[in-house]
Amino acid sequence: MVRRVAVVGAGISGLAATKCCLEEGLEPTCFEQSEDIGGLWRYTEKPEEGRASIYRTVFTNSCKEMMCYPDFPFPDDYPNYIHNTRLQKYIRDYAQHFDLLRHIRFKTTVTKIRKRPDFSATGQWEVVTRKDGKEEAAVFDAVMVCTGHHVYPNLPLAHFPGIEKFKGCYLHSREYKEPEKFRGKKVLVVGLGNSGCDIAVELSTVASQVYLSSRRGSWVMSRVWNFGYPWDMLLITRFWTWLDNFLPKSVSDWLYVRGMNQQYKHEDFGLMPVDGASRREPVLNDDILSRITCGVVLIKPGVKEFRETSVLFQDGTVQDDLDVVIFATGYSHSFPFMEDESIIESRNNEVNLYKCIVPPQLEKPTMAVIGLVQSFGSAIPTADVQCRWAVKVFQGLCTLPSVSEMLEDIEEKKRNKIRWFRTSDTLQTDYITYMNELTSAIGAKPNVLKLLLTDPLLALKVFFGPCTPYQFRLTGPGKWSGARRAIFTQWDRTVKATKTREAPPATTTLPSLLVLGMLFLPLLLLLTVLYW
C-alpha cells in the first residue's frame, strides 16, 4: 500500500504532484533545493546551479485560460498572456489556497534515489537529501520526479568547428538575462526556437546588428490570432484534433501548411522549415517579423565554421566583426540523483517512459516522471493530469500492461513522432490525444456523446470550443464543481482582459438588407432570364 510519496522539485509539476497526493489521501513530502517555489518561472538575477533559469522579460506562450491549473482559474483581471512575475504570484496563490507549503522542505537537495533491498516486494525507495551540509535518508513508498527539462543546457560546441578560435564571447541562452550589456555589439543568436527568437528581438533594440541562425527553419506564429483572440483558444479544440486525425495525412498536412502561411509566406522571410509539413512546435513571437522587415534582425542559415572575429555560414556568406554568440540550442535531460541510471533510460536525448511517465521495467510501478513531455498545449494542465494518472497507478487503481506491451507502446509512439514531427528525439506529443489517453484510464475524460443527451450546450462547448483545462475536472477523481461554470465563462474572461476601455461598437454604412440584396441580385437576374 503506497502511503508516503517523495516529490522532487516544487515547480508547477511538483506542486501539482503534492496536491494530487493530498487529494487521494497520500502523504507527500516535497523537496526543493532553492528557497522558494515556482521552478522555471521564479526569476533570479543569476542562474542557479541545478535549477531552470529565465530572462527578465519572459511571457507565457499559452493564454491564461489554456494554461491554468484545472480547478484554479487565473484572476479575471490578469492579461491573457502573463509576465513571469505575475505567473509566479499565481503559482504562490495556488500553493497557499491548497495549503501545499507545509509539505515542502526548502533548501533541501535530493542527492540520491535508490531502490530498497526488498524493492521487488515493497516497491520502496530510499531518498537521500542534503540540507546545510547534513545528509539524511528516508524511505518512501513512491517517488515523483518533477525536475523539468530546462535545467541542463545543451551546448554542442563540437558541432561548431573553430569556436575555440573565436575571440569574442559566447554563452548559452540560459545565462542571458537582459539586453543592456550587448548595446552597440554585433550578436549572432544560434537557434530559431522560442528563446532564440525572443532574445534576438530584444537584442535588436540595443545591438548594432542581430543575426539569427537556423539550420532547419521553423513555423512562426503570433500569440494574437484571428479576430484578435489568443491562438490557442482557437486552434486547440477537440473538433480540430478529430478532423486532423480523420483526414488523410496529405490533406491534413496541406491544411496545416496553409494555416501556418495564412498571414505571410514563411519562405519570404527565410523562416520556412526544411521539412515543411513537420508539426514540430512552432515559435510563438509577435515581433520577429517586424524586426526582420526593419533589417535589425537578419535570418541566416546554419553555421559552417567560426573564425577569430567572423563566422562562415552554410550558404558561403561570411559575417565579419562579430562580438557575441548566444547559443539558444535547448537542453538535455539528466537525472543525476538516480543511483541506477538505467531506471530512467535516456539515449540520444530520448527517454523511454510508458505514457511519458513510468519507467517500464520496474518490478513495482512506484516511480513517476512528471513534466518530461512537450505539446501544443500548456505544461500546467498536462502535469496535473499526469499526476492524477500516476497516483492512481501507485494505488493500483490503474493497472499497467505487461512490460513487453509497454515497450511496444513506447516504440509505437516513436514511430508516430517520426510520422508527425520527422524525428523521434523530441518530447513533443499531440496535446488533446495525450490528455485523452491519460484521462480515459482514470475516468476523467469528458464523454461528449453522453453530454449531448444530458447537457447538450456543454457538449458543444467541450467539442467545438477551446479545450481548456476545466474539461478534465468535469468528472472522475478530482472532479471540480466549478468546472462547468468556468467553461461557460471562459470567453468572458478572455475578452475582459483586453477590453479595458469601453469602446463604441463598429457601425456599418449600409443597411443589412441592402447588403443582402446586392449579394443576391445576380442570382435574381439569372432566375429571371431562365424564367423568360
Side-chain angles (χ1 to χ4, degrees):
M1 175 68 71
V2 170
R3 175 62 62 183
R4 301 186 67 219
V5 180
V7 178
V8 186
I12 58 172
S13 298
L15 295 176
T18 303
K19 176 178 175 289
C20 288
C21 286
L22 293 172
E23 284 180 336
E24 295 298 323
L26 305 183
E27 299 172 5
T29 301
C30 181
F31 300 103
E32 170 56 45
Q33 69 174 19
S34 70
E35 60 188 16
D36 200 359
I37 61 175
L40 169 70
W41 291 102
R42 186 173 71 84
Y43 173 81
T44 55
E45 292 290 340
K46 295 181 179 180
E48 296 178 356
E49 184 67 28
R51 198 177 74 81
S53 177
I54 56 175
Y55 36 97
R56 187 184 297 276
T57 55
V58 167
F59 280 79
T60 62
N61 287 331
S62 297
C63 74
K64 65 176 181 179
E65 292 301 310
M66 298 296 290
M67 72 170 297
C68 64
Y69 286 102
D71 53 355
F72 194 72
F74 280 92
D76 289 1
D77 62 345
Y78 267 47
N80 286 321
Y81 293 99
I82 303 163
H83 187 257
N84 62 83
T85 52
R86 283 195 173 187
L87 183 56
Q88 175 68 358
K89 182 181 183 306
Y90 166 80
I91 292 170
R92 191 171 287 112
D93 290 343
Y94 173 81
Q96 291 173 347
H97 180 80
F98 292 106
D99 196 20
L100 306 180
L101 296 176
R102 64 191 179 93
H103 299 279
I104 303 173
R105 295 186 185 178
F106 292 106
K107 297 183 178 180
T108 304
T109 302
V110 174
T111 59
K112 197 74 67 180
I113 298 177
R114 52 179 168 243
K115 294 179 180 177
R116 294 273 293 165
D118 56 354
F119 181 85
S120 59
T122 64
Q124 290 182 328
W125 301 85
E126 184 176 61
V127 177
V128 181
T129 59
R130 183 176 63 247
K131 182 176 183 180
D132 299 329
K134 297 179 181 179
E135 283 203 342
E136 181 181 334
V139 176
F140 291 90
D141 302 311
V143 174
M144 302 179 82
V145 178
C146 305
T147 52
H149 55 270
H150 294 98
V151 177
Y152 304 100
N154 175 39
L155 194 58
L157 298 182
H159 295 278
F160 296 96
I163 188 65
E164 70 281 355
K165 302 175 186 175
F166 181 60
K167 290 186 176 180
C169 70
Y170 64 86
L171 63 149
H172 190 272
S173 57
R174 183 176 186 272
E175 299 175 60
Y176 175 84
K177 291 295 178 179
E178 53 189 19
E180 190 56 39
K181 63 188 288 187
F182 303 96
R183 181 172 292 278
K185 298 183 182 297
K186 287 185 178 179
V187 184
L188 169 65
V189 180
V190 179
L192 185 59
N194 285 309
S195 295
C197 269
D198 281 353
I199 292 171
V201 166
E202 188 167 272
L203 288 177
S204 69
T205 63
V206 298
S208 63
Q209 185 64 62
V210 177
Y211 307 92
L212 183 54
S213 167
S214 174
R215 290 184 296 112
R216 295 181 299 194
S218 180
W219 297 116
V220 179
M221 295 169 50
S222 170
R223 293 179 177 88
V224 183
W225 205 243
N226 296 342
F227 309 108
Y229 294 126
W231 71 271
D232 39 355
M233 294 281 280
L234 297 180
L235 297 183
I236 303 180
T237 71
R238 292 183 179 277
F239 169 73
W240 284 118
T241 298
W242 170 81
L243 188 65
D244 206 31
N245 292 322
F246 173 77
L247 293 172
K249 189 172 185 300
S250 57
V251 177
S252 175
D253 287 347
W254 178 80
L255 287 172
Y256 182 80
V257 173
R258 185 175 180 274
M260 286 297 178
N261 277 325
Q262 179 179 331
Q263 294 180 316
Y264 64 94
K265 289 185 177 180
H266 278 65
E267 59 264 37
D268 292 346
F269 289 82
L271 299 169
M272 185 70 181
V274 173
D275 44 359
S278 169
R279 306 301 178 88
R280 279 180 173 271
E281 184 183 16
V283 172
L284 272 296
N285 195 287
D286 305 294
D287 303 305
I288 187 67
L289 293 183
S290 68
R291 301 288 85 196
I292 296 172
T293 302
C294 294
V296 289
V297 173
L298 297 180
I299 303 297
K300 303 295 290 184
V303 172
K304 184 175 183 179
E305 179 187 46
F306 281 101
R307 296 166 181 174
E308 288 188 354
T309 59
S310 62
V311 59
L312 171 66
F313 294 104
Q314 293 289 350
D315 61 356
T317 59
V318 176
Q319 179 53 53
D320 295 314
D321 304 321
L322 196 64
D323 298 303
V324 182
V325 181
I326 298 177
F327 289 98
T329 45
Y331 293 82
S332 301
H333 322 311
S334 181
F335 306 92
F337 44 78
M338 294 299 301
E339 185 171 80
D340 183 353
E341 295 180 357
S342 67
I343 293 176
I344 306 179
E345 188 179 2
S346 178
R347 291 198 305 267
N348 301 321
N349 226 29
E350 292 183 63
V351 183
N352 292 323
L353 298 170
Y354 179 65
K355 301 299 184 189
C356 304
I357 302 173
V358 174
Q361 302 198 43
L362 286 176
E363 302 95 313
K364 298 285 184 179
T366 56
M367 172 170 282
V369 180
I370 307 299
L372 200 63
V373 65
Q374 211 164 346
S375 71
F376 222 24
S378 172
I380 291 178
T382 303
D384 182 81
V385 167
Q386 285 185 313
C387 292
R388 291 160 68 193
W389 182 86
V391 167
K392 290 300 179 186
V393 170
F394 292 163
Q395 295 175 318
L397 301 176
C398 183
T399 307
L400 300 182
S402 65
V403 172
S404 61
E405 289 174 305
M406 285 193 280
L407 293 174
E408 175 54 33
D409 183 80
I410 291 170
E411 290 303 315
E412 182 183 354
K413 294 293 194 301
K414 288 182 181 179
R415 291 191 290 270
N416 287 337
K417 285 181 179 182
I418 293 172
R419 179 170 176 256
W420 288 102
F421 311 123
R422 303 292 195 268
T423 180
S424 61
D425 63 338
T426 175
L427 298 179
Q428 269 192 268
T429 187
D430 180 78
Y431 177 69
I432 294 179
T433 302
Y434 181 64
M435 298 290 268
N436 283 345
E437 268 191 61
L438 297 182
T439 51
S440 294
I442 61 174
K445 178 188 172 185
N447 188 327
V448 177
L449 292 178
K450 183 178 179 181
L451 285 174
L452 274 174
L453 299 176
T454 59
D455 197 340
L457 191 54
L458 177 60
L460 294 175
K461 288 184 178 293
V462 166
F463 188 70
F464 291 104
C467 188
T468 42
Y470 321 119
Q471 292 192 13
F472 304 108
R473 289 276 180 171
L474 284 168
T475 187
K479 176 181 176 180
W480 178 44
S481 60
R484 184 181 186 276
R485 184 177 182 279
I487 291 172
F488 273 79
T489 55
Q490 58 199 11
W491 282 110
D492 297 333
R493 289 188 296 277
T494 300
V495 173
K496 182 177 180 180
T498 54
K499 198 173 181 180
T500 54
R501 166 183 170 263
E502 195 62 40
T507 57
T508 56
T509 56
L510 292 175
S512 300
L513 289 177
L514 179 57
V515 174
L516 289 174
M518 292 171 64
L519 290 174
F520 285 101
L521 182 60
L523 180 60
L524 291 172
L525 289 173
L526 178 62
L527 290 174
T528 303
V529 171
L530 291 174
Y531 175 76
W532 286 106

